[in-house]
Amino acid sequence: MAQTAGITLYETLGVEPTASQDEIRRAYRKLLRTAHPDSGGTVGMFRSIQHAYEVLSDPTQRSQYDAGPPHPPFSDPGPPAGHSTSDGESSNSKESSNQEPSADSEQSTASDSSARHGRNDAPSPMDDIPAPPDPGFPEPTFIPPEHPPERNTKAPTWTKIWAWVLGGIGVLLAAFQLVGMFATISFRNSAGGDSSTVIGDFMPRIVGTVIFFLIIALLPYVIFKFVRSRAPRVPLASDFIQSQYLRNQEFGIPGEGLSIARFGKRAQLGRTGEERTARVLREVALSIAPSARVIHGLRWPGKDHADIDHAILVGANLMLVDSKYMQDGNYWFDNVDLYRDGVQMDPFKLGFAVTAVRNRFPNLNVSGVVLIHSPTGNLARPPVELANVPARRLDDPNYVAVLAMNAKSFTQHLHRFVIGSNTNTVDTKLLADVLNLKQL
């Protein structure tokens, strides 16, 4: 059996070579909880697990791996990315071949990779992403707050002074009445009169005086303590996002909805593109902005199948990202039509998705970017020339112009997006609403 970096792919997932697909899937999902960089794992561990699952979850690749020749060592395809469509439907059903590299084109563009990977159709590893300048954002704060504010249940100082003063007056009046009672008893006894009724006459007034002044003295203090102890509950961040997920910066698995078993090579290439986009999002945005949140695999509002590969939310700014893994070449884009080496490609529908999300979240600044990855792994490939027609749109009021760019341009655009947002707050209610669009 082939081995990878000294251990088998089965050992990487912690399963037996005879494990069923369900057992492999369960092991993979269990490992993700601890291997993901946001959960304390390392990037290398996460990618190794992703690679092992991609091979073993595909019956064809698994058979080749079990039979030999030895499967190539894992090389970084770049972490997670997305699969939005060019026709408004789920990318699981993409059929247009001009959006993805053919086997022949991959052989010509990834010849160096072929020798390293031991096969002709494998993409080259993605280049290292330059570390972005760190703006020094502090740890995030949450709206509403993560913890309830301390309640001031103390009564005002003046209520205590009032209680002492009124209580003292009541005690003095009661004392004067007691003195009067004893003086009356003494006088009647010395005069030979009947003093048996004196106590009965004085005590109700004495007790009444004490009770009256105690009530008047303590009433303000008691009222303030009662009212402040029953103050309405303040909403908390955990009312919208469970506490254990509040500091998660990434939600969903890139390319999870792309079935390799069903769609084969096209799904594998689409997943590679989504994983590479997710890697850029992590290393450029999440690494410097603790308040940034990335969601993989969203539905268009009002649709069940049309999908958005990725979304990054920073403050009140939301960027939708459509991942494309396409043949290398020279591209030209005018916000609507895309050409490669003079050949028109299928149009992108991300502009319609941006409009749908804007209508759903009118208080958000929503933009869209189509990120094109090359099989060469070079961040600067393919070159994308933007036509000097920024106002051009389709003859459709529901279409919003979007950008198309390669990974190098996207890293710069993404960094400006994060720095421009200039916030360290996380609106948990807004985040929960966006997560409600997460594909199930």
Side-chain angles (χ1 to χ4, degrees):
M1 179 183 295
Q3 290 190 347
T4 300
I7 63 172
T8 68
L9 299 185
Y10 293 102
E11 291 172 338
T12 299
L13 294 181
V15 297
E16 296 295 329
T18 57
S20 66
Q21 288 295 322
D22 285 341
E23 291 172 330
I24 290 174
R25 187 180 302 107
R26 285 196 297 270
Y28 167 70
R29 292 185 181 278
K30 182 178 180 181
L31 287 172
L32 280 184
R33 300 190 190 111
T34 55
H36 197 286
D38 290 339
S39 301
T42 64
V43 174
M45 180 193 306
F46 179 78
R47 294 174 185 165
S48 297
I49 292 171
Q50 287 278 76
H51 173 67
Y53 179 70
E54 287 172 4
V55 174
L56 299 183
S57 63
D58 182 352
T60 302
Q61 292 191 59
R62 183 179 181 182
S63 298
Q64 294 174 353
Y65 175 79
D66 291 340
H71 198 276
F74 166 72
S75 62
D76 175 22
H83 52 288
S84 79
T85 83
S86 62
D87 60 358
E89 294 299 322
S90 172
S91 57
N92 291 354
S93 61
K94 287 183 184 175
E95 299 293 340
S96 60
S97 61
N98 60 1
Q99 292 287 338
E100 299 161 325
S102 65
D104 292 338
S105 66
E106 288 180 58
Q107 292 174 10
S108 63
T109 57
S111 56
D112 293 338
S113 168
S114 300
R116 289 193 298 268
H117 291 259
R119 60 191 187 201
N120 291 332
D121 61 349
S124 296
M126 188 177 182
D127 288 349
D128 291 335
I129 300 171
D134 189 350
F137 286 130
E139 285 299 304
T141 57
F142 297 93
I143 302 174
E146 184 176 5
H147 304 291
E150 293 185 5
R151 287 182 179 175
N152 180 16
T153 59
K154 295 181 179 179
T157 303
W158 70 264
T159 61
K160 297 179 182 179
I161 297 174
W162 172 275
W164 281 107
V165 171
L166 269 292
I169 293 175
V171 169
L172 287 176
L173 290 176
F176 285 140
Q177 293 184 63
L178 282 174
V179 170
M181 181 184 72
F182 287 116
T184 301
I185 292 174
S186 176
F187 175 77
R188 288 189 179 184
N189 288 337
S190 63
D194 183 11
S195 62
S196 60
T197 61
V198 174
I199 295 178
D201 293 337
F202 274 86
M203 285 308 294
R205 285 179 287 173
I206 295 174
V207 172
T209 299
V210 172
I211 292 175
F212 174 78
F213 276 93
L214 279 178
I215 292 174
I216 297 300
L218 295 177
L219 187 61
Y221 179 84
V222 172
I223 290 176
F224 271 99
K225 289 286 287 185
F226 177 78
V227 171
R228 290 186 173 181
S229 66
R230 294 180 61 85
R233 180 182 178 278
V234 176
L236 300 177
S238 56
D239 294 341
F240 305 100
I241 303 291
Q242 294 184 32
S243 299
Q244 63 267 36
Y245 301 123
L246 274 179
R247 283 178 167 72
N248 278 19
Q249 287 190 277
E250 190 171 359
F251 299 86
I253 301 173
E256 186 178 24
L258 291 169
S259 173
I260 296 176
R262 181 179 178 187
F263 299 106
K265 180 179 176 181
R266 288 181 293 112
Q268 178 65 63
L269 296 177
R271 180 177 293 180
T272 298
E274 294 197 26
E275 290 175 346
R276 292 188 174 189
T277 299
R279 176 181 170 186
V280 176
L281 291 170
R282 289 193 198 105
E283 297 187 20
V284 176
L286 300 188
S287 63
I288 65 172
S291 64
R293 297 294 183 265
V294 169
I295 306 102
H296 304 293
L298 298 180
R299 292 177 292 105
W300 287 20
K303 292 183 178 288
D304 294 328
H305 300 294
D307 64 305
I308 303 167
D309 295 346
H310 321 270
I312 176 168
L313 177 66
V314 187
N317 299 299
L318 180 68
M319 183 194 298
L320 308 182
V321 184
D322 188 1
S323 295
K324 298 296 180 185
Y325 184 84
M326 304 173 73
Q327 295 179 22
D328 200 33
N330 296 294
Y331 287 80
W332 183 91
F333 185 63
D334 68 352
N335 294 335
V336 175
D337 297 319
L338 180 72
Y339 290 80
R340 181 181 65 229
D341 297 328
V343 179
Q344 185 172 359
M345 316 294 290
D346 287 347
F348 300 130
K349 297 298 183 182
L350 183 63
F352 294 108
V354 172
T355 299
V357 175
R358 283 181 178 178
N359 292 337
R360 174 64 178 81
F361 302 101
N363 295 325
L364 275 180
N365 300 315
V366 186
S367 59
V369 174
V370 178
L371 176 52
I372 303 175
H373 295 281
S374 165
T376 65
N378 188 334
L379 299 181
R381 304 287 308 175
V384 182
E385 178 184 353
L386 298 179
N388 189 25
V389 285
R392 173 165 181 198
R393 299 168 182 265
L394 289 176
D395 294 330
D396 191 322
N398 293 320
Y399 184 83
V400 174
V402 298
L403 298 174
M405 58 188 68
N406 57 34
K408 180 179 179 180
S409 298
F410 182 68
T411 58
Q412 300 166 353
H413 179 75
L414 181 60
H415 188 261
R416 289 193 297 269
F417 172 81
V418 172
I419 299 300
S421 298
N422 192 29
T423 181
N424 70 319
T425 61
V426 177
D427 187 329
T428 53
K429 184 179 185 304
L430 176 60
L431 176 60
D433 289 341
V434 175
L435 285 173
N436 283 335
L437 298 178
K438 184 80 180 67
Q439 293 185 13
L440 301 178

